Amino acid sequence: MTAESIPESWRDTLDPALASPEARRLGGWLRAEEGAGKAVYPPRGSRLTALALTPLDTVKVVILGQDPYHGPGQAHGLAFSVQDGVKVPPSLVNIFKEMESDLGLARPSHGNLTKWAEQGVLLLNNTLTVEAGKAGSHAGRGWDAITDACVAAVAERGDPTVFILWGSHARKKAGRIRALGSGAHHLVLSSPHPSPLSAHNGFFGSKPFSQANAFLEANGRGGIDWAL
């Protein structure tokens, strides 16, 4: 990644993180992986889509997941989202089931969450790349330095914000969010990942969408139109 690839609203936040040893090692390692012929998702040019679509000063909600989808044509830089025409993955099917139960909204026929991102929902994974067919394969390679900086930047702002943490990897950031709140009261909602392997262990019934909107409205920030 180069500094030019960082969306302007996030640049001051991320420049120090990108200069860290972890991020420098990550860049070299990714180039080596791709140079060896390994398929990495999402492709270059779309790995920071979440930051491009949701400028820092617009963030109302952060939805944090683990890592991108690892199937061809799925990941496009927004956590849990797929582009129009791509089959909705099982985790997103479960997210839509919970949204239907929580808000009474019909399940969408597509999995493109761009509308959420454009309203201030930062759809961020803990790790922003993955090797094809190998979930979790890029964890611990340096993305934490960058995504930690993103979360810290939001938490340090004065605007009350909702952090929705899905899965054990995402929940590790809960303490950091609370510590960096700078006196602002944020709402932190955490549950198991919406994956079919864990959704029945507490994701279903967690009501994150209605809780998020109630908090945002109570704090004068306006709720999210979750309908797709």
Side-chain angles (χ1 to χ4, degrees):
M1 290 186 302
T2 64
E4 289 72 29
S5 68
I6 305 299
E8 185 176 353
S9 74
W10 292 93
R11 198 162 292 165
D12 289 344
T13 293
L14 293 185
D15 275 350
L18 290 169
S20 69
E22 295 88 350
R24 291 182 181 277
R25 283 195 294 269
L26 170 67
W29 181 78
L30 282 172
R31 287 190 292 273
E33 291 288 283
E34 291 170 318
K38 295 181 180 179
V40 175
Y41 301 138
R44 287 185 177 272
S46 61
R47 293 168 186 172
L48 300 180
T49 299
L51 305 185
L53 291 179
T54 312
L56 176 58
D57 61 358
T58 71
V59 178
K60 294 182 177 182
V61 178
V62 179
I63 293 181
L64 191 65
Q66 180 175 335
D67 59 355
Y69 296 125
H70 53 81
Q74 291 182 309
H76 67 116
L78 296 179
F80 299 103
S81 179
V82 291
Q83 292 180 320
D84 294 331
V86 177
K87 182 180 178 181
V88 179
S91 292
L92 187 53
V93 169
N94 286 339
I95 290 169
F96 289 159
K97 286 180 180 179
E98 178 60 21
M99 187 173 72
E100 181 181 41
S101 172
D102 187 10
L103 301 177
L105 296 174
R107 299 181 204 175
S109 60
H110 63 89
N112 192 330
L113 305 183
T114 296
K115 181 182 174 183
W116 292 0
E118 292 174 342
Q119 294 181 77
V121 181
L122 181 63
L123 294 162
L124 190 69
N125 278 309
N126 199 54
T127 300
L128 299 186
T129 55
V130 68
E131 183 180 345
K134 296 183 179 180
S137 53
H138 289 188
R141 291 291 183 174
W143 279 116
D144 284 338
I146 296 166
T147 56
D148 280 355
C150 292
V151 168
V154 176
E156 288 173 341
R157 295 177 65 242
D159 296 323
T161 301
V162 182
F163 293 83
I164 300 175
L165 313 180
W166 285 335
S168 58
H169 289 267
R171 292 201 301 268
K172 290 177 182 178
K173 285 184 165 57
R176 183 173 180 81
I177 292 164
R178 294 187 177 99
L180 293 171
S182 299
H185 178 66
H186 300 310
L187 176 64
V188 180
L189 304 173
S190 62
S191 77
H193 195 277
S195 161
L197 297 174
S198 55
H200 289 280
N201 295 328
F203 173 77
F204 288 134
S206 59
K207 300 186 179 300
F209 307 102
S210 61
Q211 289 192 74
N213 275 3
F215 176 84
L216 291 170
E217 289 162 4
N219 285 278
R221 299 206 66 196
I224 303 297
D225 178 6
W226 297 102
L228 295 167

